[in-house]
Amino acid sequence: MSDRDPGQPGQDLRPSGSPSPGEPVFIAVGFLRRAHGIHGEMIMDVLTDFPERLKPRRVLYAGDEHEPVRLQSVRWHNKVMLVKILGYDSPEAAAKYRNTTLFVRMDELPELPEGEYYHHQLIGLRVVLESGETAGVLEEILTTGANDVYTVRKPDGSEILLPAIEDVVLKVDLDRGEMVVRLQEWG
């Protein structure tokens, strides 16, 4: 359900973890490791839950400078994706992108159904108990087999772990930058 994004370095972030309005936001979708074969393909670690959106002719943005590049080909090889960037037809040419993160623009992401959120939309939200008391700030989302788990940093510096389930997460209000939760009694 997520395209993971720590935000852009140097951007002013709002409480929700998002940059100021008007600034483009880039979401990491892959990490190019090294060339594979003799035709310029690169081994890419997939950083998105939607790898089916990485298709030939898709424009991605490479590195911290967000240089536009176009995918020429995409295929799975064992458990990694092999991608070829248009115009880079040899391992030597493709080496320019070794150890480079590939991004998409957030405004190019499809909308999710109501009640579903990208991780980058949730990181940084203020977490509030249903009583109105501040519990902390959502710092990290752990992806598990059953459901995500939210790591919340409390004001005293300690952390609590909250399962991302309906009984716990009562409301997400991106405009207010907060998530309302109900702590569970585990007996």
Side-chain angles (χ1 to χ4, degrees):
M1 171 173 108
S2 70
D3 284 298
R4 296 166 205 105
D5 174 41
Q8 274 184 281
Q11 285 186 323
D12 293 328
L13 298 182
R14 294 183 301 171
S16 69
S18 300
S20 302
E23 292 292 321
V25 179
F26 294 89
I27 307 298
V29 294
F31 182 76
L32 297 173
R33 290 194 292 160
R34 62 176 173 78
H36 176 83
I38 61 172
H39 301 291
E41 285 184 307
M42 304 268 314
I43 294 173
M44 185 175 84
D45 294 331
V46 176
L47 303 177
T48 175
D49 290 338
F50 304 107
E52 66 277 4
R53 296 184 190 151
L54 302 174
K55 297 179 180 179
R57 296 183 301 283
R58 174 83 193 253
V59 174
L60 300 178
Y61 301 87
D64 292 337
E65 298 78 32
H66 301 110
E67 172 192 347
V69 296
R70 186 175 301 275
L71 295 178
Q72 180 175 329
S73 65
V74 176
R75 67 184 177 101
W76 286 100
H77 177 70
N78 296 326
K79 295 183 181 190
V80 296
M81 184 176 277
L82 296 179
V83 299
K84 185 172 186 318
I85 297 173
L86 185 65
Y88 295 84
D89 299 323
S90 71
E92 295 79 19
K96 170 184 178 179
Y97 294 107
R98 182 183 175 108
N99 296 324
T100 298
T101 302
L102 292 178
F103 300 89
V104 296
R105 284 180 56 129
M106 188 173 80
D107 58 7
E108 296 172 355
L109 293 175
E111 285 192 34
L112 293 174
E114 177 133 357
E116 290 188 32
Y117 304 93
Y118 290 107
H119 285 188
H120 70 272
Q121 293 176 296
L122 300 175
I123 299 291
L125 289 180
R126 185 175 58 257
V127 179
V128 178
L129 302 178
E130 60 186 329
S131 66
E133 179 185 348
T134 297
V137 175
L138 197 154
E139 281 196 342
E140 183 180 9
I141 299 174
L142 307 172
T143 303
T144 67
N147 53 266
D148 288 347
V149 175
Y150 298 152
T151 302
V152 177
R153 179 74 51 200
K154 294 170 54 175
D156 67 7
S158 64
E159 65 182 35
I160 55 175
L161 301 176
L162 299 175
I165 58 175
E166 286 182 17
D167 291 343
V168 173
V169 179
L170 304 178
K171 180 180 178 185
V172 173
D173 188 335
L174 296 179
D175 292 331
R176 291 188 59 171
E178 72 180 25
M179 173 186 295
V180 179
V181 301
R182 173 183 297 140
L183 297 180
Q184 297 292 296
E185 300 282 334
W186 305 106

